[in-house]
């Protein structure tokens, strides 16, 4: 187990030590884990090569630390507490002992299909315990998991399977989300039918009593193959720097990239941050509402909590089913102590009225977390008053898929909180603001680009199959630093407020979408000539997707709009559907042919008064046209 900071002085001294001697600091924390063989050196790094290696030559297995290590003291304690979509269906409580057994059985099944250390396995599943069991089973034998959020389309799934060259895909038959019943395997079949030559088998978990189409050469039922396996499977000896998982995420250019995390550093950092940011104590019930298809679910539903021997709640459904009191009903029903969600969910539930939380007793809540996007002041105050009764501190946690774990966050009851501020960096995090020339800004009360100037254990290792891309995207903008892509403000006391992306990434309901990705999808429609996508302020989603489109013959009808929206849903998934389509006659372009997105963002936001310098456009006359057609 890692250490737990208990008061402000301890935070200050931990932070100081972590900066003065990062290697000694992390060496101390890493000692709390089981290593099959000790590491010979704590850190090797060279940001110019996008290289960070932690706990060099150490041998371990993250599942040994998540499971086996806890059996003696907490074998019968609930590890995963599963709340089903239907409130009256039975809850599942899986103890540490049972979880270890099931992970071993699944791991043995994977072996029986020929999956070996280093092979990639794709997961496309709803929020059922088998998803957590499956990824842990991969980690058990050293196979690399890559979870694809089950809201992505067949096309998006196909692209990720092929990029990862996965051998196996694991899915469910159906997905229950609120009143919806979604055919998951059908999407997998479609993806595989588009051509995924690396896939040998498809392991199907049964989540319903409906029938599914079956491919006898390829498909295998989970309940046939997994449950008959032996309950022992020795944890593979993994090098600290062996790959643990790939998680695809959107960037400002090109296709989504596979962010790679490795075993040792990710283990130490997610465990440390979980313990400190949520101040988890034995017997607490912790709930993170994210989907395991995103990094938050990986680090703070599965790995961080299990490494700490916590009880982690996993919820199959959605916040508004059967009614908008569901989250609060679950908090009351299971006596949740730490609750971690996204601002989008808070805003959506806030809009449903105070009477929903008022029906439940939420006094057990000790810590409230927020993640994924900036939390606006109104949502912060509502969360604080109606959910936290002004006593449970809000930890506004800033981090990214690439960072593996939380980098900036208050520590509850240890450092203070300030609405909309992620506040202070955690120990080990050397967060700096730089100006556009890359010079570090030392003063306070400034805005700048957020960079980190020293590695932490769970920093991105590479982008799968393309290390150059990793170098270019994160380590080239400002040599010697990791560039986050975010802009931030620092207040007079050094607290940090992350304002949002400064690149062409839109954050829709806490989900990252690349504008280029959405444009590519829109352009698949045969009647689209050109498109430009930007984010615009959206009351619930934080940012919405605004698409400027030049159509063939300047068609503007609603049918075409609907067709374009469906094209995007097919290419990427429903989460990428544009909220607003604006048919235009032209797009503002500079002499070098670049679209002036700054202008498009202003017009989309209805902010017509400060458009800035448009004299560099080759078609300045288009500006009036855009404004006029935006207004009508
Ligand atoms: C944004 C999610 C403000 C930010 C863990 C970042 C935030 C991107 C916060 C990463 C926060 C995340 N305040 N903005 N507390 N947390 N973001 O990779 O723009 O899905 O770069 O990781 O979300 O999104 P990702």
């Amino acid at each position: 187990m890692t250490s737990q900071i208990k008061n402000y002085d301890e935070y200050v001294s931990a932070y100081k030590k972590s900066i003065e001697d990062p290697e000694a600091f992390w060496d101390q924390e890493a000692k709390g884990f089981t290593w099959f063989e000790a590491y010979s050196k704590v850190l090797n790094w060279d940001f110019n090569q996008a290289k960070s290696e932690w706990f060099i030559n150490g041998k371990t297995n993250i599942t040994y630390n998540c499971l086996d290590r806890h059996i003696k003291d907490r074998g019968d304690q609930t590890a995963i507490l599963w709340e089903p979509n239907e409130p009256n269906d039975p809850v599942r409580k899986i103890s540490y002992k049972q979880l270890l057994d099931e992970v071993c059985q699944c791991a043995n099944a994977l072996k029986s299909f020929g999956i070996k250390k280093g092979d990639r396995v794709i997961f496309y599943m709803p929020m059922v315990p088998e998803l957590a069991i499956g990824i842990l089973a991969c980690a058990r034998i050293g196979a690399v998991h890559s979870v694809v959020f089950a809201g992505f389309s067949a096309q998006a799934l196909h692209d990720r399977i092929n990029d990862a060259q996965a051998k196996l895909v694991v899915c469910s038959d159906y997905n229950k989300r609120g009143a919806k019943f979604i055919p998951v395997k059908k999407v997998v079949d479609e993806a595989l039918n588009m051509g995924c030559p690396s896939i040998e088998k498809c392991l199907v978990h049964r989540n319903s009593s409906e029938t599914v189409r079956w491919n006898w050469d390829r498909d295998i039922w989970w309940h046939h193959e997994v449950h008959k396996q032996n309950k022992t499977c020795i944890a593979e000896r993994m090098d600290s720097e062996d790959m643990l998982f790939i998680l695809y995420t959107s960037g400002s250019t090109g296709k989504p990239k596979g962010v790679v995390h490795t075993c040792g550093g990710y283990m130490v950092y997610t465990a440390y941050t979980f313990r400190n940011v949520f101040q988890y104590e034995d017997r607490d019930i912790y709930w993170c509402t994210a989907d395991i298809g995103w990094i938050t679910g990986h680090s703070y539903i599965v790995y961080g909590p299990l490494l700490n021997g916590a009880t982690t709640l996993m919820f199959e459904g959605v916040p508004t089913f059967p009614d908008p009191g569901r989250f609060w009903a679950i908090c009351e029903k299971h006596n949740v102590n730490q609750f971690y969600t996204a601002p989008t969910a808070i805003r959506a539930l806030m809009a449903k009225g105070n009477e929903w939380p008022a029906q439940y007793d939420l006094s057990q809540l000790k810590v409230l977390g927020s993640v994924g996007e900036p939390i606006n002041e109104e949502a912060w105050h509502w969360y604080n008053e109606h959910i936290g009764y002004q006593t449970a501190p809000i930890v506004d946690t800033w981090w990214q898929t690439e960072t593996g774990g939380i980098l900036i966050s208050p520590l509850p009851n240890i450092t203070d909180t300030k609405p909309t501020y992620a506040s202070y960096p955690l120990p080990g995090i050397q967060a700096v603001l730089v100006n556009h020339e890359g010079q570090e800004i030392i003063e306070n009360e400034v805005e700048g680009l957020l960079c980190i100037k020293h590695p932490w254990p769970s920093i991105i290792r590479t982008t799968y199959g393309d290390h150059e891309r990793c170098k270019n995207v994160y380590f080239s903008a400002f040599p010697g630093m990791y560039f986050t892509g975010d802009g931030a403000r620092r207040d007079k006391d050094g607290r940090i407020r992350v304002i949002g992306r400064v690149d062409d990434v839109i954050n829709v309901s806490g989900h990252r979408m690349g504008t280029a990705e959405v444009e590519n999808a829109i352009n698949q429609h045969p009647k689209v000539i050109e498109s430009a996508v930007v984010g615009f302020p959206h009351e619930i989603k934080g940012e919405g997707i605004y698409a400027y489109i030049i159509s063939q013959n300047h068609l503007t009808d609603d049918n075409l709009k609907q067709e374009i929206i469906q094209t995007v849903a097919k290419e990427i998934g429903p989460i990428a559907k544009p909220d607003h389509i604006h048919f235009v006659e032209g797009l503002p372009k500079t002499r070098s042919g670049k679209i002036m997105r700054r202008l498009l963002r202003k017009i989309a936001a209805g902010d017509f008064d400060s458009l800035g310098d448009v004299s560099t456009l080759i078609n300045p006359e288009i500006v009036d046209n855009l404004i006029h057609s935006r207004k009508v």
Side-chain angles (χ1 to χ4, degrees):
M1 215 76 91
T2 67
S3 62
Q4 192 168 17
I5 293 167
K6 279 289 160 208
N7 55 50
Y8 186 70
D9 289 346
E10 283 181 21
Y11 164 69
V12 173
S13 78
Y15 190 78
K16 188 161 175 281
K17 180 174 172 195
S18 77
I19 302 306
E20 287 171 359
D21 194 347
E23 296 187 32
F25 178 83
W26 289 113
D27 181 31
Q28 189 63 36
E29 295 303 338
K31 287 206 167 91
F33 297 84
T34 302
W35 296 89
F36 302 148
E37 196 177 311
Y39 42 88
S40 53
K41 189 163 187 279
V42 175
L43 172 66
N44 274 334
W45 67 294
D46 178 2
F47 272 178
N48 294 324
Q49 297 306 319
K51 181 175 114 171
S52 311
E53 295 168 349
W54 283 88
F55 311 115
I56 323 292
N57 296 323
K59 303 282 183 275
T60 186
N61 186 296
I62 196 167
T63 72
Y64 189 92
N65 283 284
C66 284
L67 302 171
D68 307 60
R69 199 168 51 119
H70 300 311
I71 297 304
K72 188 165 141 286
D73 296 333
R74 53 179 97 237
D76 294 326
Q77 182 201 306
T78 302
I80 296 178
L81 172 54
W82 182 75
E83 168 76 18
N85 182 53
E86 292 286 343
N88 297 323
D89 281 356
V91 163
R92 281 170 69 185
K93 292 186 177 178
I94 304 173
S95 70
Y96 271 92
K97 177 79 188 62
Q98 287 166 331
L99 186 58
L100 175 60
D101 288 350
E102 295 201 31
V103 167
C104 286
Q105 284 186 312
C106 183
N108 285 328
L110 296 178
K111 281 187 183 171
S112 77
F113 312 147
I115 303 295
K116 298 180 304 295
K117 180 172 172 178
D119 288 344
R120 277 81 56 212
V121 177
I122 294 271
F123 288 82
Y124 187 78
M125 285 175 87
M127 285 287 287
V128 289
E130 284 70 15
L131 172 52
I133 292 167
I135 66 175
L136 290 164
C138 285
R140 188 79 176 172
I141 63 170
V144 177
H145 56 79
S146 186
V147 185
V148 176
F149 174 61
F152 279 117
S153 68
Q155 181 68 51
L157 175 61
H158 163 269
D159 295 348
R160 287 158 177 75
I161 291 172
N162 285 347
D163 188 84
Q165 287 292 297
K167 263 191 174 174
L168 174 75
V169 55
V170 187
C171 67
S172 290
D173 52 357
Y174 290 89
N175 182 355
K176 298 172 207 157
R177 278 175 71 74
K180 289 191 196 146
F181 191 64
I182 304 159
V184 182
K185 178 164 185 296
K186 190 165 159 264
V187 180
V188 174
D189 288 345
E190 263 176 60
L192 297 182
N193 287 341
M194 290 177 196
C196 294
S198 59
I199 290 289
E200 294 171 3
K201 296 275 178 234
C202 175
L203 179 62
V204 187
H205 161 248
R206 190 157 70 183
N207 198 33
S208 79
S209 48
E210 299 293 313
T211 51
V212 281
R213 270 184 96 95
W214 205 252
N215 177 333
W216 292 96
D217 296 331
R218 184 193 72 203
D219 300 340
I220 307 165
W221 280 116
W222 180 294
H223 57 278
H224 286 171
E225 290 303 318
V226 175
H227 295 165
K228 70 179 188 200
Q229 299 289 334
N230 193 301
K231 292 184 177 163
T232 320
C233 173
I234 301 294
E236 185 77 27
R237 272 166 77 91
M238 300 296 287
D239 188 89
S240 284
E241 287 300 332
D242 278 339
M243 235 190 290
L244 175 63
F245 66 85
I246 305 172
L247 189 57
Y248 286 86
T249 191
S250 295
S252 49
T253 54
K255 291 197 170 225
K257 46 189 179 271
V259 171
V260 170
H261 285 290
T262 56
C263 297
Y266 179 83
M267 170 174 83
V268 171
Y269 196 77
T270 53
Y272 179 79
T273 49
F274 174 77
R275 192 166 166 79
N276 283 285
V277 171
F278 297 102
Q279 288 291 307
Y280 186 87
E281 302 283 350
D282 262 352
R283 286 183 288 281
D284 281 347
I285 308 290
Y286 161 88
W287 179 21
C288 167
T289 70
D291 191 287
I292 294 178
W294 311 114
I295 190 69
T296 306
H298 282 61
S299 302
Y300 299 109
I301 294 177
V302 182
Y303 288 113
L306 296 179
L307 286 163
N308 280 280
T311 298
T312 178
L313 195 152
M314 196 173 159
F315 174 41
E316 185 182 30
V318 296
T320 48
F321 178 83
D323 61 49
R326 187 69 190 278
F327 270 7
W328 322 126
I330 297 174
C331 285
E332 183 186 85
K333 175 177 175 185
H334 295 296
N335 281 318
V336 171
N337 301 113
Q338 290 92 359
F339 177 72
Y340 192 25
T341 197
T344 290
I346 299 169
R347 286 190 295 263
L349 296 177
M350 179 171 79
K352 302 284 182 190
N354 302 341
E355 60 271 29
W356 293 105
Q359 292 170 33
Y360 301 96
D361 178 6
L362 303 176
S363 58
Q364 298 285 339
L365 288 169
K366 296 194 283 191
V367 180
L368 301 179
S370 173
V371 61
E373 49 179 320
I375 179 166
N376 51 309
E377 204 141 350
E378 198 191 352
W380 195 98
H381 286 296
W382 187 83
Y383 201 24
N384 183 39
E385 273 164 42
H386 295 277
I387 312 303
Y389 302 162
Q390 297 190 342
T391 51
I394 295 177
V395 290
D396 177 359
T397 64
W398 174 85
W399 57 297
Q400 309 177 296
T401 305
E402 295 85 345
T403 70
I406 299 166
L407 299 198
I408 306 181
S409 170
L411 297 177
N413 299 314
I414 294 170
T415 59
D416 61 6
T417 62
K418 176 173 172 180
T420 76
Y421 279 75
S423 89
Y424 300 107
L426 296 181
I429 305 307
Q430 302 190 28
V432 294
L433 297 184
V434 302
N435 62 20
H436 284 278
E437 285 72 53
Q439 287 147 342
E440 193 175 330
I441 313 171
I442 309 293
E443 315 81 73
N444 282 341
E445 299 230 67
V446 284
E447 276 185 19
L449 304 167
L450 182 61
C451 292
I452 318 286
K453 62 178 186 184
H454 187 276
W456 60 97
S458 63
I459 185 174
I460 180 174
R461 297 306 199 265
T462 189
T463 43
Y464 188 69
D466 191 353
H467 193 65
E468 277 306 303
R469 188 169 178 193
C470 177
K471 258 202 256 182
N472 291 337
V473 174
Y474 305 104
F475 298 95
S476 301
F478 307 111
M481 293 194 209
Y482 167 81
F483 175 45
T484 64
D486 279 326
R489 176 171 181 79
R490 191 162 55 213
D491 77 0
K492 64 176 180 6
D493 304 311
R495 294 184 200 87
I496 293 170
R497 169 187 188 167
V498 176
I499 300 165
R501 306 287 306 192
V502 294
D503 54 7
D504 292 321
V505 171
I506 317 179
N507 194 328
V508 189
S509 303
H511 302 152
R512 276 165 67 166
M513 299 299 334
T515 53
E517 214 183 326
V518 183
E519 287 162 7
N520 286 339
I522 292 174
N523 297 347
Q524 296 303 312
H525 193 286
K527 293 199 177 126
V528 170
I529 293 176
E530 197 180 0
S531 64
V533 163
V534 295
F536 74 108
H538 187 289
E539 210 168 309
I540 304 287
K541 299 178 173 183
E543 273 189 292
I545 299 179
Y546 194 108
Y548 294 89
I549 296 177
I550 306 174
S551 59
Q552 244 173 34
N553 305 325
H554 296 296
L555 290 168
T556 59
D557 56 291
D558 275 348
N559 279 345
L560 180 57
K561 263 190 195 175
Q562 286 315 316
E563 281 176 32
I564 291 172
I565 290 173
Q566 287 318 315
T567 305
V568 176
K570 185 173 147 279
E571 291 293 317
I572 305 175
I575 50 174
K577 285 184 188 174
D579 297 281
H580 194 101
I581 288 184
H582 183 168
F583 288 111
V584 294
E585 285 167 17
L587 292 166
K589 290 201 176 156
T590 61
R591 277 173 226 291
S592 57
K594 274 180 94 176
I595 295 172
M596 196 183 265
R597 287 172 190 278
R598 169 180 64 77
L599 190 67
L600 293 179
R601 277 194 286 268
K602 293 249 173 179
I603 294 173
D607 178 5
F608 307 126
D609 298 331
S610 56
L611 295 179
D613 182 13
V614 295
S615 63
T616 55
L617 292 178
I618 41 166
N619 52 349
E621 69 288 351
I622 200 72
V623 179
D624 277 344
N625 176 278
L626 290 175
I627 294 176
H628 180 72
S629 51
R630 169 71 173 124
K631 282 181 177 164
V632 292

